[in-house]
Every structure is written in structure tokens, then in C-alpha cells.
Amino acid sequence: MEVRTIRFDEHGDKRGTLVSLEQLKDVPFEIKRVYYMYHTVPEARRGCHAHKNLRQVLVCVSGSCSVLLDDGRERAEVHLDSPNKGLVVESCVWREMFGFSESAVLMVLASELYDESDYIRDYKDFLGYVGGQG
Ligand code: T46
């Protein structure tokens, strides 16, 4: 499946580096929510669901982790190991995050507010949903 990553512009000088993310410019949607996860245990597997409408960009702002993406036909794996690299996760894609390094902080920019009814948590239901979409 096609994987879209974004290399963010870095503003670096002798003090260090700054990355700025603006909606509809650096990120391909309006940002309604930001959340992040940390203190994630190395054996944890998070996500394991899909969303009906939500679009997101995942950025590992510290440390590293891997993400499995599955559109119901093909799978891809992406390693996030840089604060200037964003992974676009579109709606109707199953995602699993794993292989978190000790210092990993995974930040997520989301196109919608939190909505439990947008989640598809069962893999068979997911396959039925994307199959039915055509
Ligand atoms: C996703 C992947 C990448 C909230 O109250 N508000 C929120 O905005 C979120 C995202 C979560 N929560 C609560 C719901 C649960 O009680 O935080 C708890 C942990 O959430 P969850 O188990 O859904 O976390 P992950 O890491 O499995 O999945 C999250 C997002 O939920 C999901 O949309 O795509 O990160």
C-alpha cells in the first residue's frame, strides 16, 4: 500500500532545531486535536484499530517506534525515528504501533475530536467495512 511520509522543515541554528507544524500547510488537514503517548513499555502494541473518518499525522518527537499500516489489501511497516518525519495515516487504515524505544514520545495530530464511535476495533469488522466501501 502507498505510504505517505512528510519531511518537516527544520529551523536550525547553533542553539538547536525547531519544527513548526501548521494546518493545511505542513499537515494536510485542519488540526482539531493533539495527543501524545510516552512511558510506553517496549513490548506494548498500541492502536490495533482503524477509524472511519479520522485522519492523522504521527510524529515520534523523541526516540523511535514502528507502525504497521493495513488498508485491507496490503500492509506496510514504517519506522519513525526522527522529530522531523511525519507519517500520514488516512481513514479506513488499520494501524498498530509497536517497538517503542525507552525514550519514545509519539505525538499525533488529528483531524477530528475524540469520538469513540469512529473506531473500528475488530479486524474482521474492518475488513468488512473497507470491502463494503468498494
Ligand atoms: C490512534 C492511535 C495512533 C482520550 O480520552 N482522548 C483521546 O483523544 C485519545 C486518543 C484517547 N483517549 C483515551 C481513551 C483510552 O481510555 O485514552 C485512553 C488510551 O487510548 P487508546 O487505547 O485508544 O490509545 P491507542 O494508543 O491504542 O490509540 C491511539 C488513538 O486512540 C487512535 O485514534 O489512531 O493512537
Side-chain angles (χ1 to χ4, degrees):
M1 61 174 288
E2 194 186 321
V3 171
R4 182 173 171 200
T5 56
I6 307 171
R7 183 72 53 184
F8 303 127
D9 286 344
E10 292 180 299
H11 305 275
D13 58 35
K14 59 186 177 194
R15 298 170 299 172
T17 307
L18 184 151
V19 169
S20 160
L21 302 179
E22 293 188 13
Q23 59 183 9
L24 300 174
K25 185 177 156 202
D26 309 286
V27 170
F29 49 76
E30 290 186 12
I31 300 165
K32 288 203 181 148
R33 177 168 54 113
V34 177
Y35 60 91
Y36 45 92
M37 53 198 83
Y38 54 97
H39 293 170
T40 310
V41 296
E43 63 274 21
R45 208 162 177 101
R46 304 196 62 124
C48 306
H49 57 248
H51 283 279
K52 296 173 193 163
N53 293 311
L54 185 70
R55 305 173 70 197
Q56 302 191 108
V57 170
L58 277 57
V59 188
C60 205
V61 291
S62 170
S64 64
C65 72
S66 294
V67 184
L68 169 81
L69 298 177
D70 178 340
D71 65 6
R73 288 173 294 119
E74 291 176 302
R75 293 181 161 209
E77 235 177 74
V78 182
H79 193 58
L80 295 178
D81 56 0
S82 170
N84 75 347
K85 179 179 179 182
L87 171 64
V88 181
V89 182
E90 297 290 355
S91 58
C92 299
V93 173
W94 187 267
R95 82 288 318 268
E96 300 184 8
M97 301 90 77
F98 61 98
F100 289 87
S101 70
E102 209 170 287
S103 59
V105 180
L106 180 63
M107 180 181 75
V108 182
L109 311 174
S111 66
E112 305 297 334
L113 301 179
Y114 181 67
D115 176 7
E116 181 56 40
S117 70
D118 190 62
Y119 283 73
I120 306 171
R121 295 193 179 277
D122 182 271
Y123 188 70
K124 279 192 187 153
D125 290 347
F126 163 69
L127 291 180
Y129 189 81
V130 291
Q133 298 230 315

